[in-house]
Amino acid sequence: PAEESPGLPGGGGGGSRRARGGGQQQQPPQGPAGPELGCLGAQNGEASAGTAAGDQLAHANGLLPSANSGGGSPGGLSVNNGVPAAGGPGPAAAELGGGGGSALKKKKRLSQSDEDVIRLIGQHLHGLGLNQTVDLLMQESGCRLEHPSATKFRNHVMEGEWDKAENDLNELKALVHSPHAIVVRGTLELFQSCIVGLIVRMKFLLLQQKYLEYLEDGKVLEALQVLRCELTPLKYNTERIHVLSGYLMCSHAEDLRAKAEWEGKGTASRSKLLDKLQTYLPPSVMLPPRRLQNLLRQAVELQRDRCLYHNTKLDSNLDSVSLLIDHVCSRKQFPCYTQQILTEHCNEVWFCKFSNDGTKLATGSKDTTVIIWQVDPDSHQLKLLKTLEGHAYGVSYIAWSPDDNYLVACGPDDCSELWLWNVQTGELRTKMSQSHEDSLTSVAWNPDGKRFVTGGQRGQFYQCDLDGNLLDSWEGVRVQCLWCLSDGKTVLASDTHQRIRGYNFEDLTDRNIVQEDHPIMSFTISKNGRLALLNVATQGVHLWDLQDRVLVRKYQGVTQGFYTIHSCFGGHNEDFIASGSEDHKVYIWHKRSELPIAELTGHTRTVNCVSWNPQIPSMMASASDDGTVRIWGPAPFVDNQDIEGKNHWFYSCFFVSFL
């Protein structure tokens, strides 16, 4: 009740608090708790659970007292971890009374979102063991952490009282079936049969835990009784029941825990069980486990996803971020700044490619050489490792083997030769040429590292071994660019018909995958094989979904004529796309944004190729007709500048708040 008369049990008048002169405090009435001793009204108009005579003391938040909650109170009086409940004796009542017989102050009615936030905070604090704080929060707000039936069910599960927990399911069944529960779950079509199915699943999980604990305790007969007379009659998940029956043959407890992938009898396994059971209950009855942490984690991940320059590994641990400020990455942390200029080539540089392990960079040039560069893991500086000579027509394409032991180099359109180099020794293993009429301008490795495919615009399409022996060929395909998928069977090839087709060398089938309206000059595939990045003549860079066979996005800014320009995926989780351009720039886009997030200047002629280091997300290389290779990275001293900036912001905000 909002108001009570002075002197009535549970009232806020002078009869329930110590007199100013220091008299004896009036004792509360003994016996079963009446309506005036129940918990504060809960949300949804449901009555709070009072404690029956002989039952354990109930907290205002519906949870049993913890070990540090203080002693019990006489007569089954509801307590809050040692703090008297509203309407009982104590300072809280004295403050609310404001004088003999004064009415309790009416609380402002909370909105549904406010109640949800309070419950989330209460759940989090309860998980930290701050139970007294939770009780005071629930008492003052008039909210309830969870339904009393859910609390009773939780306690019975954690205490291993399986018969009582099973009986609790009958009460929970009515709550799940209530209209409010259905609305909260967002399943208006939830019928009675579905409710029964949910209860059966919950019962199955309870009995499974009961069965395993009996087995661990060596109570084989009791476990067998549960299996035959309780689990089997449910007629649910018979396959799992067969697996459970096999655990009867376990010779000891360690063997049981290993085979069942189970933590054993105790708090850990029961907590995990409770997490599973909570998924079947609406949040109005019992909150999902760690709900506040999950919401915060989702918010952090969303901010990172929306950050255009985020280029580091996502850490799901909330301790690694500050929840007090929004997540923002600086452009200075992005590979937008020239770290090094490689000038050892003496003519146009047509191609560059980092090795799969990120420790080396290969560059091919019109000067007939391939240069292998070593990446210093600490300074990220590159130094010349080997020069591979003898490519009479120049080198326009390079492909690393999956294990990085070999490298294949191809030439321009009029080149009929292909070079296979041993990277470790610098020796030429194979120089392949099927015919002087061939044009071998592209190559791709099979994932097994024992085969590769090559081809060109004059109609050659070969599959060869490491010694250059011809294994298979496909006639009449004028190949512009090649890629082998991870299945080891399918080869993607762009041709002169402005399309990409998939070719299977095992069953000799082919199919159309991508169709463009203009020539496809080059393409590359994402690591997961889902996305294709195309450089299309006069159009620029296009992103295709190979699974759905749809054009996802057209990226703006780049100048693309009929030169062959090679773009790439890059950054952490391949969230970014980079491409060279005929306007002498390197363009970078976030995969989800059509507009570039960075335009890198420095080259003085067409940028032919861009390669992102697959192991160092902050490193990128670009090759240009100006004869140089540029290595891009973060701004110098970015860490110190950022730290100073953040500290300046922090202290400024601190003093403003203080004043």
Side-chain angles (χ1 to χ4, degrees), residues 385-400:
L385 184 63
K386 290 183 177 68
T387 300
L388 311 177
E389 301 176 337
H391 307 84
Y393 296 90
V395 179
S396 61
Y397 197 86
I398 296 171
W400 292 87

Side-chain angles (χ1 to χ4, degrees), residues 22 117 130 172 192 282 338 446 452 642:
V117 170
L130 304 177
L172 295 174
Q192 182 66 30
T338 300
N446 190 283
F452 60 86
D642 279 1

Side-chain angles (χ1 to χ4, degrees), residues 593-611:
S593 175
E594 295 181 357
L595 298 176
I597 61 174
E599 299 178 15
L600 313 185
T601 59
H603 287 295
T604 57
R605 293 184 64 188
T606 296
V607 180
N608 299 307
C609 183
V610 178
S611 179

Side-chain angles (χ1 to χ4, degrees), residues 181-253:
I182 293 176
V183 171
V184 171
R185 293 176 65 89
T187 54
L188 295 172
E189 68 279 6
L190 198 57
F191 298 105
Q192 182 66 30
S193 59
C194 298
I195 301 296
V196 173
L198 292 177
I199 299 301
V200 168
R201 294 188 190 101
M202 296 176 71
K203 188 174 182 180
F204 185 90
L205 292 173
L206 287 174
L207 294 176
Q208 177 180 252
Q209 178 79 11
K210 179 181 179 181
Y211 168 78
L212 292 174
E213 291 193 6
Y214 273 148
L215 282 182
E216 187 182 46
D217 291 339
K219 300 178 180 180
V220 179
L221 293 179
E222 289 85 344
L224 188 59
Q225 181 74 8
V226 172
L227 187 66
R228 289 179 176 177
C229 302
E230 298 184 62
L231 276 168
T232 302
L234 291 177
K235 297 180 180 180
Y236 173 76
N237 203 348
T238 54
E239 183 178 348
R240 178 61 179 168
I241 291 178
H242 292 323
V243 174
L244 292 174
S245 63
Y247 298 153
L248 289 167
M249 306 303 295
C250 294
S251 57
H252 48 77

Side-chain angles (χ1 to χ4, degrees), residues 44 69 97 310 404 473:
N44 305 328
S69 62
H310 187 78
D404 294 327
S473 65

Side-chain angles (χ1 to χ4, degrees), residues 477-499:
V477 182
R478 298 180 181 273
V479 173
Q480 178 73 29
C481 191
L482 293 167
W483 194 276
C484 289
L485 295 185
S486 58
D487 62 6
K489 302 176 183 179
T490 307
V491 178
L492 301 183
S494 61
D495 56 30
T496 54
H497 295 285
Q498 306 167 2
R499 64 188 181 183

